[in-house]
Amino acid sequence: MKQHNFDEIIERRGHDGEKWNTYPTDVLPMWVADSDFRCPQPILDALAARVSHGIFGYTSNAFGAFEHAAARWMRARFGWDADSSWVEFAPCVGAALAQAVLSFTDPGDCVLIQPPIYPPFRSVTTRNGRYLLENPLVRRDGNYTVDFDDLEHKLAHPRCKLFLLCNPHNPSGRAFAETELLAMGELCREHNVTIFSDEIHCDYVFGGRRHIPFPSLSEEMADISLVAINPSKTFNIADFRTAAVISANKTLRTRFAAGVANAKLGRCSSGIIAFVTAYTECDQYADGVANYVEKNLEYAVARINARIPRLSAHKPEGTYLLWIDCRGLGLNRQSALERFFLEEAKTALNSGTDFGVEGAGFMRMNLACPLATLQDGLARIERAVNGLN
Ligand SMILES: Cc1ncc(COP(=O)(O)O)c(C=O)c1O
């Protein structure tokens, strides 16, 4: 297969994407977590063939290619011997998080999260009438670790029923080590807490490490957990709204699937085709995009630390998101930091506090873009920082 050209600049303004059509045209968007790369050619070809049929009736929800593709990806990429009968459909990982809250807790129960965290982890909990228990990650020397004493204390809450784990973790960039995952899992097992592991960023794990699907840790861990994946991040196909939730525990997956069915959420052919093609024909693209993004991350970290010393960044272990410590700018309020990036640097990043109070003084930058776009963004930020007193 031909090498994909990740340097290609594709105009996204004037289309319907949120990332490039929210801010004025003089602002460079580096926020919403989709990539600026064209999706793999086999997906485009498969979709074109489907469109040429010209009939778009109701899509079958029957077991088949979708389940085999999800299980194949887990086996081939991460060595987890997932069975296709363990795979359930969800429209997207966000919806799956919400469904997990509905399926595995009752109103008034508590859900544990690890902020700073992707904002829907909070909203799907509170908007569904459940309470949050927070086990903030602890920042030390630029890296984040789990506070296990606090975790144990929170899990012991009699109404704590569900842990929404994010691995690789957005926005900290942690790809948790086996020992950490096992320790978190053991505590959940002791306290009868189900783990819903959002592993949407699984294909972006760097530095020679490999992603560890939570249930692959042991039979005990498989028995208390579900995993959510979506090829959207890796192949830039978020629009197709097709994700998978996988669990070896029949009771857990049946409860989850019943919730999806009760909400009348069904499959669409374009989503299934994109999902299946991604997870069966696009391994080379997945390797290529992770490699390209890793170089972007290394480039950005080196340039920020060398040329913009009032900012500080560490290469994440996973995800294409760079969590930038901006406290050295001396802008005391988060609103002033947000204004600085938008109005002075003319770049749209995500504000750190969108991920929780732990994100005060931070901004999140999306590096899933051509190197030229990244260089433009960093030059804008450098110029603006140099213009500060
Ligand atoms: C950790 C995490 N989970 C879920 C999502 C959203 O996934 P989906 O589009 O499948 O709802 C994102 C998107 O940024 C994410 O970063």
Side-chain angles (χ1 to χ4, degrees):
M1 196 197 291
K2 218 173 101 213
Q3 289 290 332
H4 193 89
N5 178 13
F6 295 104
D7 288 320
E8 183 187 7
I9 306 270
I10 300 170
E11 182 56 74
R12 295 188 67 189
R13 288 201 171 96
H15 294 267
D16 47 14
E18 187 181 15
K19 186 181 186 181
W20 283 81
N21 295 287
T22 297
Y23 293 102
T25 51
D26 61 344
V27 170
L28 186 67
M30 308 189 84
W31 60 303
V32 174
D34 57 30
S35 86
D36 294 328
F37 307 127
R38 181 185 294 281
C39 90
Q41 194 58 40
I43 297 180
L44 296 173
D45 292 344
L47 288 168
R50 175 67 188 84
V51 167
S52 73
H53 183 234
I55 293 178
F56 304 99
Y58 294 109
T59 295
S60 165
N61 285 305
F63 180 90
F66 165 76
E67 291 81 359
H68 294 313
R72 185 240 158 217
W73 195 253
M74 292 295 108
R75 276 196 305 274
R77 307 294 296 187
F78 312 120
W80 176 32
D81 202 11
D83 194 276
S84 35
S85 67
W86 300 350
V87 179
E88 299 293 346
F89 163 82
C92 64
V93 174
L97 288 162
Q99 188 54 57
V101 168
L102 295 173
S103 294
F104 304 117
T105 66
D106 291 315
D109 280 343
C110 299
V111 175
L112 188 126
I113 60 168
Q114 293 180 311
I117 189 75
Y118 174 61
F121 277 53
R122 261 171 221 288
S123 58
V124 297
T125 300
T126 54
R127 288 189 192 172
N128 285 305
R130 276 69 167 170
Y131 294 100
L132 285 168
L133 285 170
E134 305 198 16
N135 170 232
L137 295 181
V138 180
R139 190 172 166 90
R140 267 194 213 103
D141 302 326
N143 202 3
Y144 283 88
T145 54
V146 178
D147 179 343
F148 284 99
D149 290 337
D150 179 70
L151 179 63
E152 174 149 36
H153 176 67
K154 303 279 164 59
L155 289 171
H157 189 295
R159 295 209 64 176
C160 184
K161 299 285 167 52
L162 179 67
F163 173 20
L164 297 179
L165 172 66
C166 189
N167 183 40
H169 185 273
N170 170 9
S172 75
R174 281 302 317 277
F176 293 112
E178 184 173 351
T179 48
E180 291 173 297
L181 292 170
L182 272 171
M184 290 191 262
E186 262 319 306
L187 291 173
C188 288
R189 201 168 67 88
E190 275 169 33
H191 294 285
N192 282 322
V193 172
T194 300
I195 299 176
F196 190 87
S197 185
D198 174 344
E199 302 184 6
I200 197 168
H201 294 281
C202 57
D203 298 314
Y204 295 98
V205 171
F206 310 118
R209 265 179 275 107
R210 186 161 76 159
H211 173 70
I212 304 170
F214 191 86
S216 71
L217 289 165
S218 69
E219 275 184 30
E220 289 78 17
M221 295 300 111
D223 200 42
I224 60 165
S225 63
L226 308 94
V227 164
I229 52 167
N230 187 340
S232 54
K233 301 290 170 208
T234 309
F235 305 101
N236 208 14
I237 51 173
D239 196 35
F240 292 114
R241 316 300 284 167
T242 300
V245 169
I246 313 173
S247 179
N249 179 320
K250 189 172 179 190
T251 308
L252 293 181
R253 66 172 185 268
T254 308
R255 265 166 78 180
F256 180 86
V260 171
N262 293 348
K264 288 294 287 168
L265 300 171
R267 309 177 186 202
C268 67
S269 67
S270 56
I272 296 296
I273 286 167
F275 184 104
V276 170
T277 310
Y279 280 164
T280 54
E281 296 180 36
C282 300
D283 291 54
Q284 191 184 319
Y285 181 104
D287 292 336
V289 75
N291 197 24
Y292 191 93
V293 161
E294 183 170 15
K295 290 203 182 102
N296 272 0
L297 289 163
E298 285 167 355
Y299 174 86
V301 168
R303 183 161 165 177
I304 287 172
N305 293 334
R307 295 188 33 187
I308 326 178
R310 291 171 75 181
L311 303 180
S312 152
H314 293 257
K315 182 182 164 189
E317 296 167 336
T319 80
Y320 50 59
L321 307 163
L322 192 63
W323 188 233
I324 306 175
D325 185 347
C326 308
R327 290 173 295 182
L329 293 180
L331 299 170
N332 289 334
R333 305 236 312 250
Q334 191 71 15
S335 55
L337 187 58
E338 291 164 10
R339 207 171 319 114
F340 170 76
F341 273 89
L342 203 54
E343 292 175 14
E344 305 298 327
K346 299 283 182 194
T347 53
L349 277 66
N350 293 88
S351 178
T353 48
D354 289 352
F355 303 85
V357 290
E358 299 77 8
F362 289 77
M363 297 293 284
R364 193 196 73 174
M365 189 181 204
N366 177 350
L367 271 61
C369 59
L371 176 61
T373 306
L374 172 61
Q375 288 170 325
D376 181 9
L378 291 171
R380 289 168 184 237
I381 294 168
E382 186 177 338
R383 259 196 313 275
V385 171
N386 289 340
L388 275 175
N389 293 325

